[in-house]
Amino acid sequence: MKSLLFTIFLLHCLLHTINSAENSSAVFTKFLANVNQNLATLYNREVLANWQLEVKGPNDLYALLQSELTSEEIMNYVESIAPNCAKFKRLNIGNPQQQRQLSQIPERGYEALSPADLKLMYIVTKNMGDIYKNTKLCSFHDRKQCNLTLIPAVQNILHNSNDVAEIEYYWLEWRRKTGMPAKQDFVSFIELYRKTAQLNGFSKPSEFWYKDLEENSAQTASLLESFMQRLQPLFQELHAHVRGQLRKLYGEELIPRGKPYPQNLAEIFIGNAFRRADPEWYIEFPYPDVGMPNITAGLLRRGLNNAQRVFWNVAEYFRSMGMPQIEDTFWSHNARPKADLDEEDMRCWHKAWKFYGIERVNFSYCPLVDEERFFNMYEALTDVYYYRAYDQQPTLFAEEPFPNFSDALGKMFSLSASSPRYLEKLKLLERGLVSKELRINRLYWQSLRTIFLIPVFYVLDRYRVDVLDERLNISNNCAYWQLTTDLTGAEPPVSRSYEDFDAPAKLLIEVDDQYTSQIMSTVLQYQLYQHFCEITGQYKPKDKNYPLDLCDLSNQRQIGPIVMEAMSLGSSKSYKDILQIMTKESSINMDGLLAYFQPLYDWLVEKNRLDNVEIGWESSTKCS
Ligand SMILES: *[C@@H]1O[C@H](CO)[C@@H](O)[C@H](O)[C@H]1NC(C)=O
Ligand SMILES: *[C@@H]1O[C@H](CO)[C@@H](O)[C@H](O)[C@H]1NC(C)=O
Ligand SMILES: *[C@@H]1O[C@H](CO)[C@@H](O)[C@H](O)[C@H]1NC(C)=O
Ligand SMILES: *[C@@H]1O[C@H](CO)[C@@H](O)[C@H](O)[C@H]1NC(C)=O
Ligand SMILES: *[C@@H]1O[C@H](CO)[C@@H](O)[C@H](O)[C@H]1NC(C)=O
Ligand SMILES: CC(=O)N[C@H]1CO[C@H](CO)[C@@H](O)[C@@H]1O
């Protein structure tokens, strides 16, 4: 009885604090201050541990343990404040900035599941990753040798093969060994994901899927559809050209007229654009004799032969655009080389590391010097500026406004730096080399790396969202293929049936990875580029001397302040507000991307006509 009375008394006090209108706002303010502080402490421990892993290597067991422990602590913390978050959301108090902070507190995500379900979720996602890691295929030429990993072994074989039977064999084996074995886990994943969405208070699974994009799923879906529609003319011309090239390589029987191209052959062709360039490959280029300039050779010729020199060169580019100068001590104080490269894992990149609530940005660099690492430096330095610009924001706002937003800025700057006009300035390209042929080759190479990915990414998200929201039956393999064929113009090389299960072949590593933000980021990159080029007079829509693909932003000092202002906002405003500040437009659109590739589009239309290749594709009859 005594203890009951005591409880009632306590409850009364609690309710009193929360419910009395004037005081609840003080309590709310205090709550947010606490959350900002606690998250900063936890995040910093995690970043520090991950930074240690990057510079010391994954064998640093202490850092590995720290990293895992802190992730768990963060989850526990988020879990512990969840009831309060829900309460404050219901009370609907505070000013708009406070309400926005509240909305930026991380969701519990899978932690909202019951312990048994949570365990199951870990098991199924781990299983799928393991299938990917552990699956070994037998060699096409020696069926008794069965130790080929999917990546890199099979991938390397495919890149270097032009034997159609071999390519088809691996395509089918890959699906046979990964699809069916993953089916049950995939089905469980979908069910658990639906539950998670519901437990986190979302009305539909797709709302949870798109939660970081600040719009409801219907708006996101219609934005994506508008992208796909506007992309279609360019994509169809590119598709027709690539299909024509494949027909030259493999013959009319394998690549019949008017049909989707076989996915396996197209992927190898397009994938070439991601490999280190080798001169043989230029045969497939619009102007094979012109090829592409060798930037790596240019870097070495110019004495930019280590990461530190590249860094200062790139820092000068940012300074010339009116961004703050990086202090001389930055490199010696903050930069460390990435730990030894793992042979199998060629992911060696420069990377900035942000800390919270303190002025600190560390930097890890890849010691390799080549074209890719050179342009990557522009992206890494963009992050240094970004992290420093928003370090006065509370922890909950010390983020980009949507995932991959900062990539759009970084890639925009590296795009501008890859402009032949700028490369001439840097003497990485010899003067007078900027010909029509070189420009078309460059645009073509870029289109393989970006334009083709957009529909592929779109299908990956669209498929999972449609399954999650029950618009598509997970057991209907042909529905998966119909989406793929309609949108990407590719079909399976051999007949597939309703009962096969092919979707996981592309989704095993991170089954819940979201690609929509990457599409938005890519489109935004070109939108920002067009805007900045236009306001600085480097791009003039009607003037052939100022095309977008040659626009060079270096020395355009008015850009720095605009970009710094946008960066300093962190996620305190929605991306639309930030876009409005930067460009006077509040939605992402395709104008910039299409303007950029316009010369390639014109070339393709003419070339496809001359080659008498057909545009578009019928639906596929390969799945029934
Ligand atoms: C696979 O096995 C063959 C012999 O069976 C061996 O020569 C080869 O080195 C092995 N490859 C790998 C990646 O282990
Ligand atoms: C470019 O130059 C580098 C360094 O000289 C060289 O290693 C590489 O093979 C060249 N690449 C091409 C495609 O010629
Ligand atoms: C990380 O940066 C801070 C200051 O920004 C510096 O004091 C610290 O030494 C750096 N850490 C390393 C390992 O370089
Ligand atoms: C988008 O962000 C994710 C997670 O940070 C990252 O893995 C991915 O590489 C980014 N995508 C692009 C296109 O930069
Ligand atoms: C999905 O398809 C399978 C196999 O065709 C069928 O058994 C099942 O009833 C379908 N589920 C729904 C919800 O339509
Ligand atoms: C009774 C009481 O403690 N009132 C406080 C409620 O919170 C405001 C601040 O928002 C204080 O000024 C009051 O003193």
Side-chain angles (χ1 to χ4, degrees), residues 182-191 194 463-464 466-468 470-480 498-504:
K183 184 164 183 178
Q184 198 42 58
D185 286 329
F186 200 87
V187 170
S188 306
F189 164 78
I190 294 289
E191 280 164 8
R194 285 180 187 140
Y463 169 74
R464 285 174 296 175
D466 282 357
V467 168
L468 281 168
E470 299 183 60
R471 283 186 294 275
L472 206 152
N473 185 337
I474 193 168
S475 296
N476 185 346
N477 193 45
C478 291
Y480 165 72
Y498 277 98
E499 281 81 38
D500 292 318
F501 195 55
D502 293 322

Side-chain angles (χ1 to χ4, degrees), residues 612-623:
N612 187 27
V613 297
E614 73 289 3
I615 315 288
W617 54 91
E618 298 161 16
S619 52
S620 174
T621 50
K622 285 276 169 61
C623 196

Side-chain angles (χ1 to χ4, degrees), residues 312-576:
W312 288 115
N313 206 288
V314 173
E316 177 52 28
Y317 162 86
F318 281 99
R319 201 194 54 77
S320 83
M321 289 183 301
M323 307 277 278
Q325 185 152 14
I326 304 267
E327 69 282 4
D328 290 345
T329 50
F330 183 88
W331 189 266
S332 56
H333 282 188
N334 306 298
R336 294 288 178 276
K338 179 178 166 34
D340 286 347
L341 306 186
D342 180 348
E343 291 275 321
E344 295 229 335
D345 170 14
M346 280 304 295
R347 279 173 301 178
C348 182
W349 304 108
H350 313 301
K351 186 166 162 44
W353 299 78
K354 73 173 157 183
F355 291 86
Y356 294 80
I358 44 173
E359 280 180 36
R360 173 171 174 171
V361 174
N362 290 112
F363 195 81
S364 57
Y365 62 90
C366 174
L368 299 176
V369 173
D370 60 20
E371 176 176 344
E372 286 210 72
R373 258 37 68 170
F374 176 65
F375 290 117
N376 174 228
M377 193 63 95
Y378 292 84
E379 294 161 28
L381 249 153
T382 302
D383 285 343
V384 171
Y385 280 109
Y386 214 142
Y387 300 162
R388 286 184 161 183
Y390 64 49
D391 74 4
Q392 299 301 319
Q393 293 285 354
T395 309
L396 289 166
F397 287 160
E399 299 292 342
E400 50 190 343
F402 72 76
N404 295 106
F405 183 90
S406 70
D407 293 326
L409 277 166
K411 293 211 162 102
M412 175 204 56
F413 285 126
S414 77
L415 187 66
S416 154
S418 74
S419 151
R421 285 203 173 138
Y422 178 66
L423 295 175
E424 270 187 350
K425 249 189 225 166
L426 280 186
K427 302 200 170 58
L428 293 177
L429 251 186
E430 279 157 46
R431 268 212 174 276
L433 255 181
V434 184
S435 60
K436 163 107 201 265
E437 290 79 10
L438 184 69
R439 282 175 60 200
I440 295 295
N441 278 357
R442 172 168 172 258
L443 288 171
Y444 173 75
W445 178 75
Q446 288 172 329
S447 73
L448 293 179
R449 293 168 62 111
T450 50
I451 306 290
F452 278 95
L453 280 187
I454 294 175
V456 169
F457 283 171
Y458 178 65
V459 169
L460 291 178
D461 268 19
R462 170 81 189 270
Y463 169 74
R464 285 174 296 175
V465 164
D466 282 357
V467 168
L468 281 168
D469 277 359
E470 299 183 60
R471 283 186 294 275
L472 206 152
N473 185 337
I474 193 168
S475 296
N476 185 346
N477 193 45
C478 291
Y480 165 72
W481 275 112
Q482 194 182 340
L483 261 185
T484 302
T485 303
D486 284 354
L487 292 156
T488 72
E491 67 177 6
V494 293
S495 289
R496 308 302 287 154
S497 76
Y498 277 98
E499 281 81 38
D500 292 318
F501 195 55
D502 293 322
K506 291 191 182 294
L507 289 171
L508 288 169
I509 319 179
E510 291 291 349
V511 64
D512 57 354
D513 243 16
Q514 208 247 81
Y515 291 96
T516 298
S517 60
Q518 300 202 27
I519 298 177
M520 287 168 62
S521 169
T522 303
V523 177
L524 179 59
Q525 175 198 345
Y526 290 93
Q527 182 175 0
L528 293 172
Y529 188 52
Q530 181 189 31
H531 174 74
F532 288 127
C533 290
E534 205 163 346
I535 61 170
T536 54
Q538 300 303 301
Y539 163 59
K540 298 178 185 166
K542 299 219 157 54
D543 185 342
K544 287 236 186 292
N545 294 317
Y546 291 90
L548 191 52
D549 63 297
L550 293 185
C551 160
D552 161 22
L553 293 174
S554 65
N555 295 322
Q556 302 301 329
R557 306 193 64 84
Q558 72 203 88
I559 295 173
I562 304 173
V563 171
M564 291 301 290
E565 187 195 352
M567 286 178 162
S568 71
L569 292 168
S571 62
S572 64
K573 290 181 183 300
S574 75
Y575 84 82
K576 295 191 154 184

Side-chain angles (χ1 to χ4, degrees), residues 43-60:
Y43 287 165
N44 281 343
R45 288 210 330 249
E46 192 182 37
V47 177
L48 196 60
N50 290 335
W51 147 260
Q52 295 283 324
L53 285 174
E54 185 85 354
V55 297
K56 291 188 176 159
N59 297 326
D60 188 321

